[in-house]
Amino acid sequence: MKRIFFFDGSGPPFGHMLLALGGYLGGFDGNFLWNRIGAEYSTNVPVWSLRLLPALAGALSVPMAYQIVWELGFSHCAAVGAALLILIENALITQSRLMLLESALIFFNLLAVLSYLKFSNSQKHGPFSPSWWFWLVLTGVACACAVGIKYVGVFTYLLVLGVAAVHAWHLIGDQTLSNVRVLCHLLARAVALLVIPVLVYLLFFYVHLLLLCRSGPHDQIMSSAFQASLEGGLARITQGQPLEVAYGSQVTLKNAFGQPVPCWLHSHQSTYPVIYENGRGSSHQQQVTCYPFKDVNNWWIVKDPGRHQLVVNNPPRPVRHGDIVQLVHGMTTRLLNTHDVAAPLSPHSQEVSCYIDYNVSMPAQNLWRLDIVNRESDTDVWKTILSEVRFVHVNTSAILKLSGAPLPDWGFRQLEVVGEQLSRGYHGSTVWSVEEHRYGRSQEQKERELELHSPTQTDVSRNLSFMARFSELQWRLLTVRSDDSEHKYSSTPLDWVMLDTSIAYWLHPRTSAQIHLLGNIVIWASASLATLVYALLFIWYLFRRRRRVCDLPEDCWLRWALAGALCAGGWAVNYVPFFMMEKTLFLYHYLPALTFQILLLPVVLEHISDHLCRYGALAATPPWGYGSRGVLNGDSSVMQMGLGSQARLCRGSEDEANEGCRERKVADVHGRWGRPFGPGERQEQREGEGNMGRDPEQPVVRGRTAWCMAEINQEAL
C-alpha cells in the first residue's frame, strides 16, 4: 500500500496482491504495523475488506467441488455430497475467514481442475468452439494463478499437465483425425497450458515490481543493481556514477552471495595475530574482511600494475575482461594480497591480506586477473553495478572468496575473506560487483582521504530491465531460506493425516477465547479411508484386466481412472513432496491435499454402491436355474437390476452394444452369478437351449453361460 519494496520468502506476489486489492477497495492507507499476532486493529484497518477475497475464495470452492464431481460423470447425489463435505470442513472454514492465502490457493487449484474437465468434455462435442477455447485458456490461467500464490501450486499444475499429456497421447493415436487436425490440437494445448501460464506468471511480477518502486528495509538482500533501480536508498548514492570502471577508479566491492548478510570488501589498520588460538602462525599482514555496513574503509582503487598513478587519465582507460589489475586500499594505500598461508578460520584456503613489507623474504603477490562472469564477449568492459566479476590471483590461481565465517574479537566479528583454489563454476561467494564508483582525481593521500569521505555527485539515474529484475527476484525467492527454527505449532506430514496437531491462530489476552485451526476428525478419517479403498480397488481392477476380466465397461473404467488421477493424484502430489522439504511445516500446508481427498470420498462411496454392493446382492439371490425359462423371464426385477446397471454403465448407447460389449457383459454375468446347478436341475436341457442355432464349427457353450447369453441377446441387448 505504501509502494515500498519488500521481500517475502513465502512465495510469489500474486496472493499478497489479492489481499492488497481488498485493502485498497476498503480504503486502507497502509499505516499499520503488522508486527504482533493478536494486536488490536486500529480504526483505519478495513478488516472486512481485507478478509473479503479469502472468504469469497473459500465460499466459491463449494460449488466448484460439486461441478468437478458432476463433470467426472458421477451422480447428482455424489456431487452434492462432495460440496457438503467441503462446506462443513471446519479447517477450510477457519482458513478462509482470515487474511491467509490457502483458501485462494485451493480455489485456483479447483478452478484449474474444473476448467480442464469442462474442456475435456467439450472436446467430444465441439472442438475449437468458443467454449472449448474458453475452458482451455482458463485452465492455463488458473494454473498460473495457483503457482503465483504459492510455489506449492506447481504440484496441481503438473498434475493437470500430466492428465493433458495422456489425453494428447491418445489423441495422436486417433486415426479418425487428420495429421493437420492433430497438430492443431497439440499446438492449442501447448499455447494454453504452457505459454499462457508463463505470460500470466510474468505479469504478476511485472505489476508487483511496478507497484513497489521505492526503497525499503528489505533492499539489502538484493544486488546493487536492483537496489539502484528503486527510488531512494542506494539510487540516491549511485545516480550519476561513471558506468565504465577505469584505471584509477575508486570503487566499493559488494559480494553477490549476500550470506549470511550483505557485505563489502573491507580492510583496516589492524593485522592478523602472529599466533592463532589453535597454535597456527599467520603472516601478520593487514586484515582483509567483508564488512556488512557502509564505511570509508570499503573503498578500493583500481591500479594499473605498470604505472604508479592512482588517478584516472583523460580520457579514462577502461578495464576489460582478462586485464591484470592491483587493488589498493583507499585509506591505507596497501595492496590486496594473497599467498600460500592458511586462512585464519579456513585452513584449506589461503589467507587474504593487504601487503606489509616486513623484509622477511615474503614478497608481495598482489596481481589479480579480472574475470567478468556475465560478459557477452571477451572484450567486455568492467561496468558499475551491472558487471559480476571474479578476481583470480595470478601467482596461485586462487579466487577471492567470502567464506562467511565470523572472525574472533581480534577481527571485530567481521566476515572472513579467503583465496579459494578449488572454486569451479559460478558461485555467489566468489562474485563481486561495483556498487559505488567515482573517478579518482587526487594523487596526494590526504586529499584522497577527504575525497573518499565526500559523497558521490548525482546527476543521472540508471535502471535495470524488467527481465533482469524479475530473474534476480525469482532466484532470491527460490534460494533464500527463511528461518527454519522450530515453532510451537509446527508439525510433520504424518501428523496431518491423523489430525494429531493444530494451530492456535488467536488467543484473547484476558479471556479464554481462542481460534484454533482444527479439522473435522470424521471427514479426515473418512477421506483417508476412501483414498486407501480407491488404491486397493484400482490395483484389483488392474490385476483383473490384466487377466482379461473386465469388471467395468470401458467408459466406466475410464471415468474411474480419471477420477482417481485427479482426486487421489491431487492428494498425492500436494502431500508427498512435503516429506522432502527441509522447512518448518504447519497443518495448513495439508489443506490443498485434503480438498482433493474429500472429493474422492463420495466418488468411492458411489462406486461401491453401484458396482460392489449391487452385484453382491445379485450374487446372494437364489440360482435362476429352478423351474423353466418362464421363471427367469418372470423375475424381471432382478434381471432388470443387473442388466439395467450394465446398460447404464454403457450409457444405453446402441453404438456401444457391439460384440465386444456383449462378451464383457456375459463374462460379468457369469463371473458374478455363475454357480453349480442345484440337484435335479436339467442341465442338459439348458445347454440345448443355450446352443440353439449355433454354428456347427463353433465350440459348444455350456451351462449357465449359454443360458445367460441367450437371455441377454434376446431381451436385454
Side-chain angles (χ1 to χ4, degrees), residues 10 52 188 207 298 300 324 330 353 435 439 467 520 542 557:
S10 64
L52 175 62
V207 176
N298 297 346
W300 299 81
I324 306 299
S353 61
E435 185 175 88
Y439 284 161
M467 287 306 300
N520 187 319
L542 284 181
W557 165 252

Side-chain angles (χ1 to χ4, degrees), residues 537-551 667-668 671-672:
L537 283 176
F538 187 79
I539 295 172
W540 170 252
Y541 287 146
L542 284 181
F543 276 122
R544 298 271 289 173
R545 292 173 68 86
R546 181 64 178 169
R547 297 175 62 83
R548 304 296 179 91
V549 179
C550 298
D551 298 289
D668 291 345
R672 295 187 182 90

Side-chain angles (χ1 to χ4, degrees), residues 145-194:
C145 292
V147 179
I149 290 176
K150 283 195 172 185
Y151 283 125
V152 292
V154 76
F155 301 141
T156 302
Y157 179 36
L158 294 177
L159 174 69
V160 174
L161 284 182
V163 175
V166 173
H167 287 173
W169 179 252
H170 288 295
L171 196 68
I172 294 174
D174 189 351
Q175 297 183 357
T176 64
L177 299 176
S178 64
N179 292 337
V180 175
R181 192 76 167 177
V182 171
L183 181 61
C184 291
H185 275 286
L186 297 180
L187 287 177
R189 286 161 171 78
V191 170
L193 300 180
L194 296 176

Side-chain angles (χ1 to χ4, degrees), residues 624-625 627-636 638-640 643 662 665-666 669 673 686 688-692 701 703-717:
W624 292 352
S628 64
R629 288 186 61 195
V631 175
L632 175 63
N633 295 334
D635 192 7
S636 59
V638 178
M639 187 65 184
Q640 289 174 1
L643 297 179
R662 291 192 185 96
K665 292 176 181 294
V666 172
V669 172
W673 303 334
R686 300 189 185 282
E689 293 174 354
N691 291 282
M692 291 174 61
V701 182
R704 300 196 55 183
T705 303
W707 175 56
C708 293
M709 178 180 290
E711 198 64 29
I712 292 172
N713 290 337
Q714 180 178 345
E715 295 181 14
L717 298 179

Side-chain angles (χ1 to χ4, degrees), residues 161-453:
L161 284 182
V163 175
V166 173
H167 287 173
W169 179 252
H170 288 295
L171 196 68
I172 294 174
D174 189 351
Q175 297 183 357
T176 64
L177 299 176
S178 64
N179 292 337
V180 175
R181 192 76 167 177
V182 171
L183 181 61
C184 291
H185 275 286
L186 297 180
L187 287 177
R189 286 161 171 78
V191 170
L193 300 180
L194 296 176
V195 177
I196 290 180
V198 171
L199 295 178
V200 173
Y201 185 74
L202 289 173
L203 178 63
F204 297 151
F205 278 88
Y206 181 82
V207 176
H208 177 69
L209 293 174
L210 185 66
L211 292 174
L212 306 185
C213 58
R214 298 174 181 171
S215 177
H218 290 186
D219 295 3
Q220 294 298 322
I221 199 171
M222 309 305 292
S223 69
S224 301
F226 194 100
Q227 295 180 50
S229 67
L230 300 173
E231 298 177 4
L234 183 63
R236 292 181 297 180
I237 300 175
T238 59
Q239 285 179 348
Q241 292 185 155
L243 177 61
E244 297 181 348
V245 178
Y247 290 106
S249 289
Q250 300 170 357
V251 298
T252 62
L253 297 170
K254 183 180 180 181
N255 189 265
F257 189 42
Q259 295 293 331
V261 291
C263 62
W264 292 262
L265 189 65
H266 176 93
S267 186
H268 40 245
Q269 290 282 356
S270 302
T271 59
Y272 291 111
V274 178
I275 302 295
Y276 295 125
E277 291 81 351
N278 57 9
R280 291 189 298 111
S282 77
S283 63
H284 197 46
Q285 299 283 322
Q286 181 173 303
Q287 296 176 14
V288 172
T289 64
C290 206
Y291 191 51
F293 301 98
K294 294 184 180 298
D295 187 86
V296 69
N297 283 314
N298 297 346
W299 285 93
W300 299 81
I301 302 172
V302 182
K303 178 180 177 297
D304 184 352
R307 302 188 180 186
H308 295 289
Q309 64 183 25
L310 299 178
V311 296
V312 177
N313 292 333
N314 190 15
R317 269 193 318 127
V319 182
R320 301 181 182 275
H321 169 74
D323 286 355
I324 306 299
V325 300
Q326 292 175 316
L327 293 178
V328 181
H329 186 240
M331 297 302 292
T332 62
T333 66
R334 288 176 176 154
L335 300 175
L336 186 70
N337 179 86
T338 187
H339 40 218
D340 192 14
V341 175
L345 304 180
S346 306
H348 58 281
S349 302
Q350 294 180 185
E351 175 193 84
V352 174
S353 61
C354 281
Y355 180 74
I356 302 175
D357 187 2
Y358 289 120
N359 292 320
V360 290
S361 302
M362 184 178 287
Q365 298 182 23
N366 50 33
L367 299 180
W368 301 85
R369 186 178 72 252
L370 184 73
D371 179 17
I372 302 178
V373 177
N374 60 341
R375 65 185 181 277
E376 296 180 358
S377 68
D378 289 342
T379 59
D380 274 9
V381 175
W382 186 8
K383 296 180 180 179
T384 305
I385 294 177
L386 302 178
S387 295
E388 298 178 346
V389 302
R390 296 191 304 179
F391 296 98
V392 183
H393 192 236
V394 173
N395 297 79
T396 63
S397 298
I399 299 175
L400 188 68
K401 176 183 177 181
L402 168 67
S403 75
L407 295 170
D409 291 339
W410 53 259
F412 310 102
R413 298 293 175 180
Q414 298 175 15
L415 303 180
E416 182 190 41
V417 175
V418 300
E420 179 62 71
Q421 294 182 332
L422 302 178
S423 293
R424 297 177 181 177
Y426 179 91
H427 192 276
S429 61
T430 63
V431 177
W432 307 80
S433 63
V434 174
E435 185 175 88
E436 298 181 61
H437 175 212
R438 75 180 93 201
Y439 284 161
R441 295 182 175 87
S442 301
Q443 185 69 26
E444 296 296 328
Q445 177 65 16
K446 295 295 183 181
E447 296 177 359
R448 186 164 55 248
E449 290 180 5
L450 294 175
E451 186 178 1
L452 292 176
H453 278 93

